[in-house]
Amino acid sequence: MSFPKKGKFFPKQNGYDRNGRSDTENGFADEIASALRRSHEDSRAGAKIVASWTGANEKTVKNWFAGRYGPSGEHLVALARHSDEVLGTFLALSGRQDLMVAMKLAAAERAIEELLAAVREMRSDGARNAE
């Protein structure tokens, strides 16, 4: 194999694109970008909201939305803290989807308990009013 005439990275077949990023870096950035867009699909101010969550520059956040770059570890933690979409994507990328399922089950159990409490309260109020 011959070396490329320009640049310091090997050709695409060796796992790098024209910008020198590895395929895994591109996959991570693309997946986080998709999660961010799902989180803020209706919002025109999505970049501003995400920038306020993370403390990152708005231009940096726009690059995350575009999938050019992925967030650093510190920023990823802040994103996961505020966005279930990003948390779910991170867990899926790390092969831990089971944790997201467990979290959703716990949330569903809490919602059912709250609903049962509300129904019981309505019954007791109805019984008092009938007397």
PDB file of all heavy atoms in Angstrom, residues 60-89:
ATOM      1  N   THR A  60     -20.287  25.326  19.327  1.00  0.00           N
ATOM      2  CA  THR A  60     -19.916  23.946  19.640  1.00  0.00           C
ATOM      3  C   THR A  60     -21.149  23.056  19.646  1.00  0.00           C
ATOM      4  O   THR A  60     -21.155  21.967  19.073  1.00  0.00           O
ATOM      5  CB  THR A  60     -19.201  23.879  21.006  1.00  0.00           C
ATOM      6  OG1 THR A  60     -18.032  24.677  20.951  1.00  0.00           O
ATOM      7  CG2 THR A  60     -18.848  22.458  21.390  1.00  0.00           C
ATOM      8  N   VAL A  61     -22.211  23.548  20.277  1.00  0.00           N
ATOM      9  CA  VAL A  61     -23.457  22.785  20.362  1.00  0.00           C
ATOM     10  C   VAL A  61     -24.055  22.583  18.968  1.00  0.00           C
ATOM     11  O   VAL A  61     -24.549  21.501  18.648  1.00  0.00           O
ATOM     12  CB  VAL A  61     -24.455  23.473  21.312  1.00  0.00           C
ATOM     13  CG1 VAL A  61     -25.808  22.792  21.277  1.00  0.00           C
ATOM     14  CG2 VAL A  61     -23.901  23.488  22.735  1.00  0.00           C
ATOM     15  N   LYS A  62     -23.974  23.592  18.124  1.00  0.00           N
ATOM     16  CA  LYS A  62     -24.475  23.452  16.750  1.00  0.00           C
ATOM     17  C   LYS A  62     -23.681  22.376  16.002  1.00  0.00           C
ATOM     18  O   LYS A  62     -24.245  21.635  15.195  1.00  0.00           O
ATOM     19  CB  LYS A  62     -24.412  24.788  16.015  1.00  0.00           C
ATOM     20  CG  LYS A  62     -25.482  25.752  16.483  1.00  0.00           C
ATOM     21  CD  LYS A  62     -25.394  27.088  15.757  1.00  0.00           C
ATOM     22  CE  LYS A  62     -26.452  28.037  16.288  1.00  0.00           C
ATOM     23  NZ  LYS A  62     -26.413  29.333  15.618  1.00  0.00           N
ATOM     24  N   ASN A  63     -22.388  22.275  16.272  1.00  0.00           N
ATOM     25  CA  ASN A  63     -21.583  21.202  15.680  1.00  0.00           C
ATOM     26  C   ASN A  63     -22.033  19.838  16.182  1.00  0.00           C
ATOM     27  O   ASN A  63     -21.999  18.851  15.442  1.00  0.00           O
ATOM     28  CB  ASN A  63     -20.098  21.418  15.961  1.00  0.00           C
ATOM     29  CG  ASN A  63     -19.482  22.456  15.056  1.00  0.00           C
ATOM     30  OD1 ASN A  63     -19.878  22.615  13.905  1.00  0.00           O
ATOM     31  ND2 ASN A  63     -18.510  23.185  15.582  1.00  0.00           N
ATOM     32  N   TRP A  64     -22.453  19.745  17.455  1.00  0.00           N
ATOM     33  CA  TRP A  64     -22.988  18.486  17.973  1.00  0.00           C
ATOM     34  C   TRP A  64     -24.272  18.125  17.239  1.00  0.00           C
ATOM     35  O   TRP A  64     -24.468  16.977  16.859  1.00  0.00           O
ATOM     36  CB  TRP A  64     -23.288  18.572  19.466  1.00  0.00           C
ATOM     37  CG  TRP A  64     -22.118  18.814  20.352  1.00  0.00           C
ATOM     38  CD1 TRP A  64     -20.790  18.688  20.051  1.00  0.00           C
ATOM     39  CD2 TRP A  64     -22.169  19.245  21.702  1.00  0.00           C
ATOM     40  NE1 TRP A  64     -20.028  19.012  21.138  1.00  0.00           N
ATOM     41  CE2 TRP A  64     -20.840  19.357  22.168  1.00  0.00           C
ATOM     42  CE3 TRP A  64     -23.196  19.558  22.584  1.00  0.00           C
ATOM     43  CZ2 TRP A  64     -20.528  19.749  23.458  1.00  0.00           C
ATOM     44  CZ3 TRP A  64     -22.899  19.963  23.868  1.00  0.00           C
ATOM     45  CH2 TRP A  64     -21.565  20.045  24.303  1.00  0.00           C
ATOM     46  N   PHE A  65     -25.157  19.114  17.054  1.00  0.00           N
ATOM     47  CA  PHE A  65     -26.421  18.871  16.351  1.00  0.00           C
ATOM     48  C   PHE A  65     -26.166  18.414  14.918  1.00  0.00           C
ATOM     49  O   PHE A  65     -26.911  17.598  14.387  1.00  0.00           O
ATOM     50  CB  PHE A  65     -27.299  20.131  16.348  1.00  0.00           C
ATOM     51  CG  PHE A  65     -28.216  20.254  17.531  1.00  0.00           C
ATOM     52  CD1 PHE A  65     -27.792  20.869  18.695  1.00  0.00           C
ATOM     53  CD2 PHE A  65     -29.514  19.773  17.469  1.00  0.00           C
ATOM     54  CE1 PHE A  65     -28.635  20.997  19.788  1.00  0.00           C
ATOM     55  CE2 PHE A  65     -30.371  19.894  18.561  1.00  0.00           C
ATOM     56  CZ  PHE A  65     -29.934  20.508  19.721  1.00  0.00           C
ATOM     57  N   ALA A  66     -25.141  18.958  14.296  1.00  0.00           N
ATOM     58  CA  ALA A  66     -24.816  18.607  12.910  1.00  0.00           C
ATOM     59  C   ALA A  66     -24.071  17.272  12.816  1.00  0.00           C
ATOM     60  O   ALA A  66     -23.926  16.728  11.723  1.00  0.00           O
ATOM     61  CB  ALA A  66     -23.978  19.715  12.284  1.00  0.00           C
ATOM     62  N   GLY A  67     -23.578  16.756  13.917  1.00  0.00           N
ATOM     63  CA  GLY A  67     -22.850  15.496  13.911  1.00  0.00           C
ATOM     64  C   GLY A  67     -21.400  15.638  13.484  1.00  0.00           C
ATOM     65  O   GLY A  67     -20.737  14.659  13.183  1.00  0.00           O
ATOM     66  N   ARG A  68     -20.887  16.881  13.448  1.00  0.00           N
ATOM     67  CA  ARG A  68     -19.480  17.081  13.076  1.00  0.00           C
ATOM     68  C   ARG A  68     -18.553  16.590  14.180  1.00  0.00           C
ATOM     69  O   ARG A  68     -17.496  16.037  13.910  1.00  0.00           O
ATOM     70  CB  ARG A  68     -19.221  18.560  12.793  1.00  0.00           C
ATOM     71  CG  ARG A  68     -19.803  19.031  11.499  1.00  0.00           C
ATOM     72  CD  ARG A  68     -19.386  20.466  11.176  1.00  0.00           C
ATOM     73  NE  ARG A  68     -20.318  21.026  10.218  1.00  0.00           N
ATOM     74  CZ  ARG A  68     -21.366  21.774  10.521  1.00  0.00           C
ATOM     75  NH1 ARG A  68     -21.604  22.094  11.783  1.00  0.00           N
ATOM     76  NH2 ARG A  68     -22.168  22.221   9.593  1.00  0.00           N
ATOM     77  N   TYR A  69     -18.961  16.841  15.409  1.00  0.00           N
ATOM     78  CA  TYR A  69     -18.178  16.441  16.585  1.00  0.00           C
ATOM     79  C   TYR A  69     -19.135  15.935  17.643  1.00  0.00           C
ATOM     80  O   TYR A  69     -20.300  16.308  17.677  1.00  0.00           O
ATOM     81  CB  TYR A  69     -17.391  17.625  17.165  1.00  0.00           C
ATOM     82  CG  TYR A  69     -16.524  18.317  16.170  1.00  0.00           C
ATOM     83  CD1 TYR A  69     -16.909  19.532  15.606  1.00  0.00           C
ATOM     84  CD2 TYR A  69     -15.322  17.761  15.765  1.00  0.00           C
ATOM     85  CE1 TYR A  69     -16.112  20.170  14.669  1.00  0.00           C
ATOM     86  CE2 TYR A  69     -14.515  18.383  14.833  1.00  0.00           C
ATOM     87  CZ  TYR A  69     -14.917  19.596  14.290  1.00  0.00           C
ATOM     88  OH  TYR A  69     -14.130  20.205  13.363  1.00  0.00           O
ATOM     89  N   GLY A  70     -18.617  15.122  18.546  1.00  0.00           N
ATOM     90  CA  GLY A  70     -19.396  14.664  19.685  1.00  0.00           C
ATOM     91  C   GLY A  70     -18.980  15.421  20.927  1.00  0.00           C
ATOM     92  O   GLY A  70     -17.882  15.977  20.993  1.00  0.00           O
ATOM     93  N   PRO A  71     -19.826  15.454  21.924  1.00  0.00           N
ATOM     94  CA  PRO A  71     -19.493  16.147  23.164  1.00  0.00           C
ATOM     95  C   PRO A  71     -18.399  15.422  23.948  1.00  0.00           C
ATOM     96  O   PRO A  71     -18.245  14.211  23.837  1.00  0.00           O
ATOM     97  CB  PRO A  71     -20.804  16.156  23.938  1.00  0.00           C
ATOM     98  CG  PRO A  71     -21.583  15.031  23.375  1.00  0.00           C
ATOM     99  CD  PRO A  71     -21.164  14.873  21.957  1.00  0.00           C
ATOM    100  N   SER A  72     -17.653  16.190  24.728  1.00  0.00           N
ATOM    101  CA  SER A  72     -16.646  15.602  25.615  1.00  0.00           C
ATOM    102  C   SER A  72     -17.360  14.891  26.761  1.00  0.00           C
ATOM    103  O   SER A  72     -18.574  15.010  26.922  1.00  0.00           O
ATOM    104  CB  SER A  72     -15.735  16.697  26.169  1.00  0.00           C
ATOM    105  OG  SER A  72     -16.487  17.553  27.026  1.00  0.00           O
ATOM    106  N   GLY A  73     -16.615  14.202  27.575  1.00  0.00           N
ATOM    107  CA  GLY A  73     -17.200  13.462  28.688  1.00  0.00           C
ATOM    108  C   GLY A  73     -18.008  14.322  29.631  1.00  0.00           C
ATOM    109  O   GLY A  73     -19.133  13.977  30.005  1.00  0.00           O
ATOM    110  N   GLU A  74     -17.467  15.456  30.020  1.00  0.00           N
ATOM    111  CA  GLU A  74     -18.157  16.367  30.942  1.00  0.00           C
ATOM    112  C   GLU A  74     -19.471  16.857  30.339  1.00  0.00           C
ATOM    113  O   GLU A  74     -20.502  16.899  31.008  1.00  0.00           O
ATOM    114  CB  GLU A  74     -17.240  17.548  31.255  1.00  0.00           C
ATOM    115  CG  GLU A  74     -17.799  18.558  32.216  1.00  0.00           C
ATOM    116  CD  GLU A  74     -16.830  19.708  32.458  1.00  0.00           C
ATOM    117  OE1 GLU A  74     -15.611  19.512  32.326  1.00  0.00           O
ATOM    118  OE2 GLU A  74     -17.317  20.805  32.765  1.00  0.00           O
ATOM    119  N   HIS A  75     -19.423  17.206  29.059  1.00  0.00           N
ATOM    120  CA  HIS A  75     -20.629  17.690  28.397  1.00  0.00           C
ATOM    121  C   HIS A  75     -21.626  16.549  28.186  1.00  0.00           C
ATOM    122  O   HIS A  75     -22.844  16.760  28.275  1.00  0.00           O
ATOM    123  CB  HIS A  75     -20.287  18.362  27.070  1.00  0.00           C
ATOM    124  CG  HIS A  75     -19.552  19.651  27.258  1.00  0.00           C
ATOM    125  ND1 HIS A  75     -18.476  19.998  26.478  1.00  0.00           N
ATOM    126  CD2 HIS A  75     -19.728  20.660  28.132  1.00  0.00           C
ATOM    127  CE1 HIS A  75     -18.029  21.185  26.879  1.00  0.00           C
ATOM    128  NE2 HIS A  75     -18.771  21.601  27.880  1.00  0.00           N
ATOM    129  N   LEU A  76     -21.123  15.361  27.923  1.00  0.00           N
ATOM    130  CA  LEU A  76     -22.009  14.213  27.735  1.00  0.00           C
ATOM    131  C   LEU A  76     -22.775  13.907  29.015  1.00  0.00           C
ATOM    132  O   LEU A  76     -23.973  13.601  28.978  1.00  0.00           O
ATOM    133  CB  LEU A  76     -21.202  12.990  27.288  1.00  0.00           C
ATOM    134  CG  LEU A  76     -22.004  11.729  26.993  1.00  0.00           C
ATOM    135  CD1 LEU A  76     -23.012  11.965  25.877  1.00  0.00           C
ATOM    136  CD2 LEU A  76     -21.062  10.592  26.627  1.00  0.00           C
ATOM    137  N   VAL A  77     -22.117  14.020  30.146  1.00  0.00           N
ATOM    138  CA  VAL A  77     -22.787  13.800  31.436  1.00  0.00           C
ATOM    139  C   VAL A  77     -23.898  14.828  31.628  1.00  0.00           C
ATOM    140  O   VAL A  77     -25.021  14.484  32.035  1.00  0.00           O
ATOM    141  CB  VAL A  77     -21.769  13.859  32.598  1.00  0.00           C
ATOM    142  CG1 VAL A  77     -22.467  13.903  33.938  1.00  0.00           C
ATOM    143  CG2 VAL A  77     -20.820  12.674  32.525  1.00  0.00           C
ATOM    144  N   ALA A  78     -23.624  16.085  31.318  1.00  0.00           N
ATOM    145  CA  ALA A  78     -24.644  17.134  31.449  1.00  0.00           C
ATOM    146  C   ALA A  78     -25.815  16.871  30.503  1.00  0.00           C
ATOM    147  O   ALA A  78     -26.982  17.053  30.874  1.00  0.00           O
ATOM    148  CB  ALA A  78     -24.031  18.504  31.179  1.00  0.00           C
ATOM    149  N   LEU A  79     -25.517  16.433  29.281  1.00  0.00           N
ATOM    150  CA  LEU A  79     -26.588  16.128  28.325  1.00  0.00           C
ATOM    151  C   LEU A  79     -27.450  14.976  28.815  1.00  0.00           C
ATOM    152  O   LEU A  79     -28.681  15.032  28.748  1.00  0.00           O
ATOM    153  CB  LEU A  79     -25.994  15.787  26.953  1.00  0.00           C
ATOM    154  CG  LEU A  79     -25.401  16.934  26.165  1.00  0.00           C
ATOM    155  CD1 LEU A  79     -24.682  16.408  24.935  1.00  0.00           C
ATOM    156  CD2 LEU A  79     -26.476  17.925  25.767  1.00  0.00           C
ATOM    157  N   ALA A  80     -26.812  13.925  29.319  1.00  0.00           N
ATOM    158  CA  ALA A  80     -27.546  12.765  29.808  1.00  0.00           C
ATOM    159  C   ALA A  80     -28.390  13.122  31.030  1.00  0.00           C
ATOM    160  O   ALA A  80     -29.465  12.545  31.233  1.00  0.00           O
ATOM    161  CB  ALA A  80     -26.582  11.631  30.141  1.00  0.00           C
ATOM    162  N   ARG A  81     -27.929  14.067  31.819  1.00  0.00           N
ATOM    163  CA  ARG A  81     -28.675  14.511  32.998  1.00  0.00           C
ATOM    164  C   ARG A  81     -29.990  15.170  32.585  1.00  0.00           C
ATOM    165  O   ARG A  81     -31.007  15.050  33.267  1.00  0.00           O
ATOM    166  CB  ARG A  81     -27.829  15.504  33.802  1.00  0.00           C
ATOM    167  CG  ARG A  81     -28.461  15.924  35.117  1.00  0.00           C
ATOM    168  CD  ARG A  81     -27.569  16.877  35.908  1.00  0.00           C
ATOM    169  NE  ARG A  81     -26.256  16.316  36.143  1.00  0.00           N
ATOM    170  CZ  ARG A  81     -25.102  16.911  35.794  1.00  0.00           C
ATOM    171  NH1 ARG A  81     -25.120  18.084  35.192  1.00  0.00           N
ATOM    172  NH2 ARG A  81     -23.951  16.330  36.039  1.00  0.00           N
ATOM    173  N   HIS A  82     -29.993  15.870  31.452  1.00  0.00           N
ATOM    174  CA  HIS A  82     -31.164  16.634  31.034  1.00  0.00           C
ATOM    175  C   HIS A  82     -32.002  15.969  29.943  1.00  0.00           C
ATOM    176  O   HIS A  82     -33.153  16.345  29.744  1.00  0.00           O
ATOM    177  CB  HIS A  82     -30.729  18.017  30.535  1.00  0.00           C
ATOM    178  CG  HIS A  82     -30.237  18.904  31.611  1.00  0.00           C
ATOM    179  ND1 HIS A  82     -28.908  18.987  31.945  1.00  0.00           N
ATOM    180  CD2 HIS A  82     -30.892  19.727  32.455  1.00  0.00           C
ATOM    181  CE1 HIS A  82     -28.764  19.846  32.939  1.00  0.00           C
ATOM    182  NE2 HIS A  82     -29.953  20.301  33.270  1.00  0.00           N
ATOM    183  N   SER A  83     -31.444  15.028  29.200  1.00  0.00           N
ATOM    184  CA  SER A  83     -32.142  14.462  28.053  1.00  0.00           C
ATOM    185  C   SER A  83     -32.186  12.937  28.131  1.00  0.00           C
ATOM    186  O   SER A  83     -31.148  12.268  28.089  1.00  0.00           O
ATOM    187  CB  SER A  83     -31.438  14.886  26.758  1.00  0.00           C
ATOM    188  OG  SER A  83     -31.938  14.173  25.657  1.00  0.00           O
ATOM    189  N   ASP A  84     -33.402  12.397  28.213  1.00  0.00           N
ATOM    190  CA  ASP A  84     -33.564  10.944  28.206  1.00  0.00           C
ATOM    191  C   ASP A  84     -33.120  10.351  26.878  1.00  0.00           C
ATOM    192  O   ASP A  84     -32.632   9.220  26.826  1.00  0.00           O
ATOM    193  CB  ASP A  84     -35.022  10.564  28.475  1.00  0.00           C
ATOM    194  CG  ASP A  84     -35.427  10.802  29.924  1.00  0.00           C
ATOM    195  OD1 ASP A  84     -34.530  10.935  30.782  1.00  0.00           O
ATOM    196  OD2 ASP A  84     -36.639  10.861  30.193  1.00  0.00           O
ATOM    197  N   GLU A  85     -33.291  11.099  25.786  1.00  0.00           N
ATOM    198  CA  GLU A  85     -32.860  10.623  24.467  1.00  0.00           C
ATOM    199  C   GLU A  85     -31.343  10.401  24.439  1.00  0.00           C
ATOM    200  O   GLU A  85     -30.863   9.390  23.944  1.00  0.00           O
ATOM    201  CB  GLU A  85     -33.257  11.619  23.373  1.00  0.00           C
ATOM    202  CG  GLU A  85     -34.739  11.697  23.114  1.00  0.00           C
ATOM    203  CD  GLU A  85     -35.291  10.475  22.423  1.00  0.00           C
ATOM    204  OE1 GLU A  85     -34.531   9.728  21.792  1.00  0.00           O
ATOM    205  OE2 GLU A  85     -36.514  10.266  22.518  1.00  0.00           O
ATOM    206  N   VAL A  86     -30.598  11.379  24.960  1.00  0.00           N
ATOM    207  CA  VAL A  86     -29.136  11.256  24.973  1.00  0.00           C
ATOM    208  C   VAL A  86     -28.721  10.132  25.917  1.00  0.00           C
ATOM    209  O   VAL A  86     -27.842   9.334  25.583  1.00  0.00           O
ATOM    210  CB  VAL A  86     -28.465  12.588  25.368  1.00  0.00           C
ATOM    211  CG1 VAL A  86     -26.966  12.418  25.562  1.00  0.00           C
ATOM    212  CG2 VAL A  86     -28.735  13.657  24.301  1.00  0.00           C
ATOM    213  N   LEU A  87     -29.365  10.048  27.066  1.00  0.00           N
ATOM    214  CA  LEU A  87     -29.046   8.971  28.012  1.00  0.00           C
ATOM    215  C   LEU A  87     -29.294   7.608  27.371  1.00  0.00           C
ATOM    216  O   LEU A  87     -28.449   6.718  27.450  1.00  0.00           O
ATOM    217  CB  LEU A  87     -29.870   9.116  29.288  1.00  0.00           C
ATOM    218  CG  LEU A  87     -29.685   8.006  30.327  1.00  0.00           C
ATOM    219  CD1 LEU A  87     -28.245   7.934  30.804  1.00  0.00           C
ATOM    220  CD2 LEU A  87     -30.636   8.204  31.488  1.00  0.00           C
ATOM    221  N   GLY A  88     -30.437   7.449  26.724  1.00  0.00           N
ATOM    222  CA  GLY A  88     -30.756   6.188  26.063  1.00  0.00           C
ATOM    223  C   GLY A  88     -29.761   5.844  24.966  1.00  0.00           C
ATOM    224  O   GLY A  88     -29.343   4.692  24.822  1.00  0.00           O
ATOM    225  N   THR A  89     -29.357   6.854  24.200  1.00  0.00           N
ATOM    226  CA  THR A  89     -28.376   6.642  23.133  1.00  0.00           C
ATOM    227  C   THR A  89     -27.034   6.227  23.718  1.00  0.00           C
ATOM    228  O   THR A  89     -26.391   5.300  23.227  1.00  0.00           O
ATOM    229  CB  THR A  89     -28.222   7.917  22.282  1.00  0.00           C
ATOM    230  OG1 THR A  89     -29.481   8.208  21.672  1.00  0.00           O
ATOM    231  CG2 THR A  89     -27.164   7.759  21.224  1.00  0.00           C
TER     232      THR A  89
END
